[in-house]
Amino acid sequence: MVTKKIVTPAMALMLTGALVLSGCSKDNNSSNGSASPSASASTESPSASASDQPSSQAANQEAVELTMYIANSPVKDMDRVMEAANKIIKEKINATLKLVVTDWSTYPQKLNLMISSGEPFDIAFTGSWGDLNYFQNASKGAFVDITGLLDKYAPTTKSRVPESVWNGVKVNGKIYGSVNYQVWGMAGARGVQLRKDLVDKYNFDWKSVTKWDDLTPFLDSVKKGEKGVIPFEAGQLFTLQPVFSGMDAVSDNTLPGWVKYGDQSIHVINQYETPEFKAYLKTMREWYTKGYVRKDAATLKDTSPDRKASKVAGIYSQPLPDAVDMPELIGMDKMSMSDPAANTYAYNKRFTEPFISSNAPSAAVLAIGANSKNPERAMQLIELINTNDELFHLIAFGQPDVDYKPIGDRQFEMIPDKYNFNYSEWEIGQSYGRMLWDKSTDLTVNDKRLETIYAADKTAMVSPVMGFVFNAEPVKTQIANVNSVTAELLKGLEVGAIDPDKYLDSFLKKLKDAGADAIIAEKQKQIDAWKAANGK
């Protein structure tokens, strides 16, 4: 099976959070600007790239240490692996990398604190979801404009990503983040994973599920019959997943002002005033009060231990088209991030059709800090990680025959209790050239899955505001005020810990008083101008 790497729920559930991770592409003219490589693209090594050869300039460049900040759980033996990685980096670009790992629960706060204090950093993982606020930080000058640096120092990185995707990370016409374009496709869907053993045990008709309420009978059975099992993993499944409600965010997800798929007029609305939001809150409140989710869901920072222990019966998921559209794969996927040794298989049920959201390009990017002393070398490092398979595999999986056993040219088996990067390689770069798949992967089926994924990229519905980037500067004060309100109440409402009957009206009033209407009006104004300029 294809090993799907997913953001941990500490950031409010995957890509957990809004992560629609992008797919690799050699075709920059593919339909809808999405990826459409052949299946062989997943196994094609780009090692012949000029940027992957020993740099003729390396010896002439001053040796520097570069810092890269990412979110990750503690990584065992990282010093050993980074020592090996730095031998490659030193040879290629005469630099060394200090990879700084911060737990998901505190990473956004750490990044935003570094930005607000002016603390120098060379590279940091960021995105447009949760509290990462890529667009807001870029618009206020936190990151280097890399538009020219990409062309000069990262031509392969630039060429692999369709122009329409680069447009999705532009602010005022400039690129501030290098897109981590991934191997498993850009078009995503939204749905759930349900533990196969429990679905079968309780004879639950999982194929008929089309909305959250449909899950209630299953969750009730699990609650009554499975001691120690959490029926469902709570998260911010409205704000971080607009497509569940037929909408898409404009700019960072929690800001007021979304649009509806299929609305050709592109009318900006306050998503928190919609019937969809109210209905979602009602369901989650019911689940919370009946004990279907953890009572500490509003304050819990990391649910990955529950997943690894196979203690969750149902989770939000991003079932890729292959997991749903290929009958031979039904029930063959493991529950996301569960213990690999456990036979915790899942049924994937899609609530939505494949789609490409406006925030898909900015779901996983690397930004160079505005106060970096070595932005050119930082750009060279991004290119090197993206194009040097040995380096990418080293950071992603460790050292062969030490941390994993190679199986042929394309597969591996992890060695227990050794280096483990916690499925986070998508944070450090494009996995376009990744050739290693878990030993359980049927490579023939794997290639068919990839073909299905990339075919879906061509026909997926596309956000009506794809390519539009909101300039937050005119309403930055209102945005700061609104962010304070959402930080106070939103997560509690979304996981059901706060009673919407008592607090929703208060939440809406606070948003209005903070300037939500001004933000929405500004978004509409800019979208109207964008439509006129682009003949929409």
Side-chain angles (χ1 to χ4, degrees), residues 71-391:
N72 206 334
S73 302
V75 179
K76 184 175 182 177
D77 292 340
M78 192 170 79
D79 289 345
R80 167 176 57 81
V81 171
M82 288 309 301
E83 181 180 358
N86 275 322
K87 290 180 180 178
I88 300 173
I89 297 170
K90 177 73 172 177
E91 175 192 351
K92 299 295 185 180
I93 62 172
N94 200 18
T96 55
L97 169 62
K98 180 181 179 182
L99 186 62
V100 183
V101 169
T102 302
D103 190 80
W104 274 106
S105 63
T106 57
Y107 178 75
Q109 291 76 16
K110 179 180 180 66
L111 177 59
N112 289 325
L113 181 60
M114 288 195 300
I115 289 171
S116 62
S117 67
E119 180 180 343
F121 62 88
D122 294 304
I123 304 171
F125 170 81
T126 186
S128 59
W129 48 277
D131 294 323
L132 292 174
N133 300 330
Y134 164 74
F135 290 113
Q136 294 179 43
N137 286 327
S139 66
K140 66 184 182 184
F143 307 135
V144 169
D145 169 14
I146 63 170
T147 311
L149 295 179
L150 278 166
D151 291 327
K152 186 172 182 179
Y153 297 109
T156 303
T157 295
K158 176 74 179 295
S159 67
R160 287 176 181 166
V161 180
E163 187 63 28
S164 60
V165 176
W166 287 117
N167 288 338
V169 295
K170 286 182 178 179
V171 175
N172 296 326
K174 300 181 185 300
I175 299 171
Y176 290 90
S178 178
V179 177
N180 285 355
Y181 212 43
Q182 304 299 326
V183 75
W184 55 87
M186 172 176 260
R190 294 295 180 267
V192 294
Q193 277 191 331
L194 303 176
R195 271 181 53 173
K196 182 179 184 297
D197 59 336
L198 298 180
V199 168
D200 293 345
K201 177 178 179 179
Y202 294 108
N203 197 29
F204 179 63
D205 183 13
W206 64 275
K207 292 183 179 180
S208 297
V209 172
T210 60
K211 59 185 184 300
W212 297 119
D213 285 344
D214 294 341
L215 293 171
T216 300
F218 172 68
L219 304 184
D220 191 61
S221 296
V222 172
K223 174 65 177 176
K224 293 175 179 177
E226 303 296 325
K227 185 177 180 180
V229 176
I230 302 164
F232 200 82
E233 180 183 83
Q236 293 181 262
L237 299 178
F238 182 86
T239 55
L240 293 184
Q241 303 301 334
V243 73
F244 271 128
S245 305
M247 293 181 268
D248 197 10
V250 179
S251 184
D252 299 305
N253 286 59
T254 57
L255 275 184
W258 288 4
V259 296
K260 290 193 173 184
Y261 279 96
D263 178 11
Q264 300 303 315
S265 66
I266 314 184
H267 176 62
V268 183
I269 61 175
N270 186 337
Q271 67 271 22
Y272 300 119
E273 294 178 345
T274 62
E276 290 86 351
F277 184 57
K278 189 172 183 178
Y280 167 83
L281 295 185
K282 180 181 178 182
T283 299
M284 294 304 153
R285 180 61 179 173
E286 177 187 354
W287 289 5
Y288 184 87
T289 56
K290 290 185 176 180
Y292 299 162
V293 301
R294 289 179 58 137
K295 289 299 182 185
D296 60 352
T299 57
L300 188 66
K301 298 295 185 181
D302 188 2
T303 62
S304 59
D306 291 336
R307 291 191 178 203
K308 290 178 181 178
S310 301
K311 290 175 60 177
V312 186
I315 60 174
Y316 148 81
S317 73
Q318 300 179 129
L320 299 174
D322 62 288
V324 178
D325 298 338
M326 293 175 63
E328 63 265 41
L329 295 177
I330 291 176
M332 296 301 293
D333 278 339
K334 290 283 188 77
M335 288 288 284
S336 296
M337 295 180 65
S338 65
D339 180 357
N343 292 320
T344 315
Y345 289 93
Y347 290 120
N348 286 296
K349 183 61 173 72
R350 188 170 66 199
F351 288 4
T352 72
E353 291 304 308
F355 75 102
I356 302 175
S357 73
S358 62
N359 281 348
S362 57
V365 298
L366 293 176
I368 297 174
N371 294 324
S372 169
K373 295 180 180 179
N374 300 286
E376 294 86 0
R377 202 76 62 88
M379 194 77 255
Q380 290 177 357
L381 176 61
I382 291 172
E383 175 83 338
L384 183 63
I385 293 174
N386 288 342
T387 58
N388 187 302
D389 285 350
E390 180 185 5
L391 177 60

Side-chain angles (χ1 to χ4, degrees), residues 24 26 36-42 44 450-451 454:
C24 58
K26 292 177 66 176
S36 59
S38 65
S40 63
S42 65
E44 179 183 347
L450 292 176
E451 289 177 352
Y454 300 135

